[in-house]
Amino acid sequence: MENGAAEPVIVAIDGPSGTGKSSTSKAVAAQLGLNYLDTGAQYRAITWWMVTNGIDIADPSAIAAAAAKPEILSGTDPENPTITVDGVDVSGPIREQDVTSKVSAVSAVPEVRARITELQRAIAASAVTGIVVEGRDIGTTVLPDADLKIFLTASPEARAARRSGELKGADLHTTREALIKRDAADSSRKTSPLAKADDAVEVDTTDLTLQQVVECVVTLVEEKRAGK
């Protein structure tokens, strides 16, 4: 079936960090001619804005009051995803430790989640051919009607090894501890916690190469499209 003739397909890929979400989502979107959205980058972007503008991260009411201020724009080309805040390219700064250490606290504030969720739904709705959206609450909260929901998992050891490979010079044990702490924060927050949707397909990536995970997800998407 030609892409042009295919129904737009919305794919939600959730899971904790270090499971291969971003690499998988980008590759699947590129292979299938779909748009791509990294929702974690949007939460990092709003966190970066809060830090840069001196908002007290320990004060949820201060974060809530500022949640509507930054203008966040996400480019959805899987080959070159971009993100800007108030016209500034923040793709580099949002990956720095200062933002990483604060993103869970900012993400937990309901006003922030409402703002970013609205943004994510608008982007998904405007994707003509369809979109792969990756995050932590896409299948449960953001896009509960997604055509296909995938939940990626991996052992804490495998995830820590991948993360410390990404974070140059990071200590494996420290990385593992930080991941477990972040999982706990993301899974226990009141608003849109990290959770697997009831109708999600779980894929354990511990012993799989990236290519194997991508092939698995592409097959699931193609089966879904064929059955529409």
Side-chain angles (χ1 to χ4, degrees), residues 20 44 72 79 95 112 120 138 178 209:
R44 286 174 172 272
I72 298 166
E79 308 280 3
R95 302 291 167 191
V112 169
Q120 290 160 3
I138 310 307
T209 63

Side-chain angles (χ1 to χ4, degrees), residues 106-125:
V106 173
S107 303
V109 176
E111 288 81 358
V112 169
R113 297 208 77 79
R115 162 91 204 280
I116 301 291
T117 297
E118 191 182 335
L119 191 59
Q120 290 160 3
R121 286 177 178 155
I123 292 168

